[in-house]
Amino acid sequence: MSTSPARVQCIIALGSNIERERYLPEAVRLLRRHPDIDVRNVSRVYESPATGGRNGAPDFHNAAALVRTALGPRQLRAELKAIEAQLGRVRTDDRDAPRTIDLDIAYYDRLVAKFDGWSIPGRNAATAAHIAIPVAEAAPSWQHPTLGLTMSELAEQLGASDGEVRAVTWIQLSSPYTLRGLDDTDDFDEVYAPRLESLVRQQLVELGEDPTRKGLERTPLRVAKALDFLTSGYSSSVAEVVNGAIFDAEGAEEMVTVKDIEFYSTCEHHMLPFFGQASVAYLPKGKIIGLSKVARIIDVFARRLQVQERLTNQIADAIEETLEPHGVAVVIKGRHLCMMMRGVQKQDSSMVTSAMRGTFKDNARTRNEFLDIIGS
Ligand code: ZN
């Protein structure tokens, strides 16, 4: 790795008006976990009436985060959209439609620029009190690139004419860890999970490394974020990822097969990756599920410390409980780095596990049909 690109500071505006108490903290958590985004400060949550003149539309909750990143503005925006998608946001043409989560770049360093359909500073950043007030809390001394005002001055002006933006104190966005503000500039060290990071630092020492050398300085932070992601299955659930996307399919009795879904997991014996393809089939009994949901169910269990056999069974159990089909089959082919990189070094070895339930277990013809389809 050569020297990393310069990191700049940005302010991200967050908004939600569906299950706000859930999506705002979750969005902040995903920002924190992002390998290329350091969260430096987060505002409180502010409540304001929904725009667009919709009577009865739920009020908006807004917040702002001061972050540091080496991503360019387009890349950063793409990452924010990916987080929105992960949180279930479906973008429509209706700008005032209710949304689970909105993540926009309000300010990007000193940049003033127009892009295709968006701009920096962000839409309404300097005109809407519900954006300016949380922004001012996250970065009070930030200078607006053209107006010659600080964020606190701007928020004060806008807030005076709009008394409807109120802080909501019962939603906690900031982590228990200390977040430092804008004024301590270059020596800033993001702290994500202090105990885990100090353990990684100790581990580096035990391995004979110098955790203060340049290339390792941010390694404990990166490892903590990576481990958090790789074990994020513990904090998700099948019900949450399926999210009601089960469809009635009266009379559909044909086998549904999803073949070769890529997965990555971590072996619980060595905490090293194993990865490969999972194929899943079921014989519906009136209920089917979106294909993409099968992949997400796999991730709920793959993103934990695992053994391949249990992963296989847990996926089969989840499909069985969700759809109550006539039968379920799961076959996983996995390659384990703990076998490939060390000891016997069987580079080509892959392990195959399967779970057969219901008709797939009882009826050889059904089972063979599935195995034919997946080419086993
Ligand atoms: Zn292992």
Side-chain angles (χ1 to χ4, degrees), residues 267-272 336 338-339 342:
C267 96
E268 70 182 18
H269 300 138
H270 305 91
M271 290 177 74
L272 286 171
H336 292 242
C338 57
M339 286 171 70
R342 53 178 277 287

Side-chain angles (χ1 to χ4, degrees), residues 82-364:
I83 292 176
E84 285 182 355
Q86 200 178 338
L87 292 176
R89 168 87 190 266
V90 179
R91 291 228 156 216
T92 64
D93 290 337
D94 181 359
R95 281 185 151 165
D96 298 317
R99 64 275 313 263
T100 51
I101 192 75
D102 227 354
L103 293 173
D104 290 304
I105 306 171
Y107 299 95
Y108 183 96
D109 197 42
R110 310 284 304 155
L111 183 67
V112 178
K114 278 212 179 314
F115 298 88
D116 184 23
W118 58 289
S119 59
I120 290 174
R123 193 170 77 103
N124 299 338
T127 54
H130 67 269
I131 298 175
I133 289 173
V135 163
E137 193 171 287
S141 56
W142 184 288
Q143 288 280 332
H144 189 280
T146 56
L147 297 179
L149 294 172
T150 65
M151 290 299 124
S152 2
E153 289 163 346
L154 185 62
E156 205 169 307
Q157 283 187 7
L158 294 169
S161 59
D162 182 345
E164 298 201 75
V165 181
R166 301 172 300 273
V168 178
T169 48
W170 54 276
I171 303 175
Q172 279 290 310
L173 290 184
S174 295
S175 75
Y177 322 130
T178 320
L179 289 164
R180 283 185 271 169
L182 183 64
D183 300 320
D184 50 316
T185 42
D186 280 338
D187 59 348
F188 172 74
D189 296 315
E190 185 193 3
V191 177
Y192 178 70
R195 285 195 298 186
L196 185 53
E197 285 165 43
S198 90
L199 287 170
V200 175
R201 221 165 275 121
Q202 275 181 48
Q203 198 177 25
L204 289 168
V205 173
E206 290 297 321
L207 295 172
E209 265 292 358
D210 170 10
T212 63
R213 78 173 164 84
K214 199 93 193 101
L216 291 177
E217 261 173 5
R218 287 169 50 80
T219 297
L221 171 71
R222 293 193 197 99
V223 171
K225 287 188 175 193
L227 282 176
D228 192 15
F229 176 75
L230 297 176
T231 58
S232 56
Y234 291 121
S235 53
S236 66
S237 69
V238 172
E240 189 180 298
V241 305
V242 171
N243 193 21
I246 299 167
F247 308 102
D248 289 329
E250 215 51 55
E253 302 270 309
E254 291 297 307
M255 187 186 300
V256 178
T257 309
V258 198
K259 189 182 156 181
D260 292 341
I261 305 164
E262 202 171 88
F263 76 91
Y264 295 88
S265 189
T266 308
C267 96
E268 70 182 18
H269 300 138
H270 305 91
M271 290 177 74
L272 286 171
F274 69 96
F275 58 94
Q277 291 87 34
S279 296
V280 175
Y282 61 92
L283 276 169
K285 196 178 352 177
K287 285 194 281 185
I288 57 169
I289 188 176
L291 294 186
S292 66
K293 298 294 188 184
V294 175
R296 298 205 52 200
I297 290 174
I298 292 172
D299 280 340
V300 168
F301 298 107
R303 288 183 186 152
R304 299 178 184 201
L305 298 183
Q306 272 291 8
V307 294
Q308 189 175 317
E309 294 84 345
R310 186 170 65 224
L311 174 63
T312 311
N313 281 313
Q314 285 175 330
I315 295 165
D317 290 343
I319 302 281
E320 199 164 34
E321 280 160 29
T322 307
L323 296 177
E324 297 168 330
H326 293 295
V328 186
V330 179
V331 169
I332 296 186
K333 280 182 211 155
R335 307 183 72 196
H336 292 242
L337 285 189
C338 57
M339 286 171 70
M340 295 162 70
M341 290 179 71
R342 53 178 277 287
V344 285
Q345 301 207 350
K346 289 184 263 182
Q347 268 90 355
D348 295 324
S349 60
S350 72
M351 179 172 164
V352 182
T353 48
S354 64
M356 301 286 165
R357 305 283 164 79
T359 324
F360 289 91
K361 188 176 169 197
D362 304 333
N363 184 325

